[in-house]
Amino acid sequence: DSGVTQTPKHLITATGQRVTLRCSPRSGDLSVYWYQQSLDQGLQFLIQYYNGEERAKGNILERFSAQQFPDLHSELNLSSLELGDSALYFCASSPRWEGAGELFFGEGSRLTVL
Amino acid sequence: AQKVTQAQTEISVVEKEDVTLDCVYETRDTTYYLFWYKQPPSGELVFLIRRNSFDEQNEISGRYSWNFQKSTSSFNFTITASQVVDSAVYFCALSVRGQNFVFGPGTRLSVLP
């Protein structure tokens, strides 16, 4: 158990819909990262937050947005969903923001868009 | 820009064989961190090791060992006497101070009984 909690674990929805994925980091970790893993694909970095502020942005679509709240949990919002958005979405937390500390991953949220 | 290459897409070995997973990284920074993660069939990502660029000592943890060579920009991972439970996708990752983690494409290891 990494200490990172992601909900929901599984989500099935239709094209055009909007979903919200939630992540609670490990206790004390200020940095949250979001990654997307499509079928047989590697891990694509989406976005990073540190203590409520956006720190880095990767290949995140404009239809996607995220935020980190004062209690440090984070949400990833995916809108106008397309079939290609079907993937495993991981949240990870780290005690540091600059990449020196290891990432601790949640179990992922598996999104299926029909 | 940072890059991680894992040239081996898939490897199959028979139980008890040793196997080495290759990782080659690219960065111009002198301070960086290297990681290995394991993703078993259940899907979660499990942290295995972190190494910083100033520490070239090789590390052994049970049946796992890591060989870090700055001269060849490689951070290879060896599993000795492999077991079926080692079957997973293994990711090598690089982070550079102030920037983000970059993951390699992963190597799928199948250990056959």
Side-chain angles (χ1 to χ4, degrees), chain A:
Chain A
D1 183 0
S2 68
V4 177
T5 303
Q6 286 187 248
T7 57
K9 285 188 169 45
H10 299 277
L11 191 55
I12 301 174
T13 189
T15 55
Q17 296 298 305
R18 172 190 170 95
V19 299
T20 297
L21 310 181
R22 181 188 168 100
C23 169
S24 294
R26 290 190 326 154
S27 177
D29 285 356
L30 300 180
S31 197
V32 169
Y33 298 72
W34 286 97
Y35 283 84
Q36 178 194 56
Q37 186 179 35
S38 302
L39 190 64
D40 292 331
Q41 295 293 311
L43 289 150
Q44 301 298 317
F45 168 66
L46 296 178
I47 199 163
Q48 179 204 0
Y49 283 86
Y50 179 79
N51 203 21
E53 292 190 6
E54 182 183 304
R55 269 291 176 186
K57 223 169 185 177
N59 298 322
I60 187 166
L61 300 172
E62 284 191 11
R63 300 184 285 109
F64 296 179
S65 64
Q67 55 183 324
Q68 185 179 28
F69 294 87
D71 67 352
L72 300 178
H73 91 271
S74 178
E75 292 182 357
L76 178 66
N77 300 296
L78 315 175
S79 61
S80 302
L81 285 168
E82 302 175 359
L83 295 177
D85 297 328
S86 295
L88 190 53
Y89 291 85
F90 284 105
C91 166
S93 75
S94 177
R96 304 170 67 164
W97 67 268
E98 77 277 36
E102 55 267 36
L103 298 180
F104 294 92
F105 283 85
E107 294 184 348
S109 292
R110 185 170 295 280
L111 172 66
T112 302
V113 182
L114 301 177

Side-chain angles (χ1 to χ4, degrees), chain B residues 56-108:
Chain B
E56 284 194 74
Q57 265 195 320
N58 291 328
E59 181 157 338
I60 298 175
S61 175
R63 296 183 297 106
Y64 295 171
S65 63
W66 290 269
N67 184 347
F68 176 28
Q69 291 197 337
K70 286 177 78 170
S71 60
T72 56
S73 296
S74 64
F75 186 42
N76 296 336
F77 173 28
T78 297
I79 302 175
T80 302
S82 59
Q83 300 177 0
V84 173
V85 293
D86 295 327
S87 296
V89 180
Y90 291 86
F91 292 96
C92 179
L94 164 71
S95 75
V96 172
R97 205 163 182 83
Q99 299 187 36
N100 231 306
F101 286 76
V102 174
F103 283 80
T107 297
R108 183 179 299 277

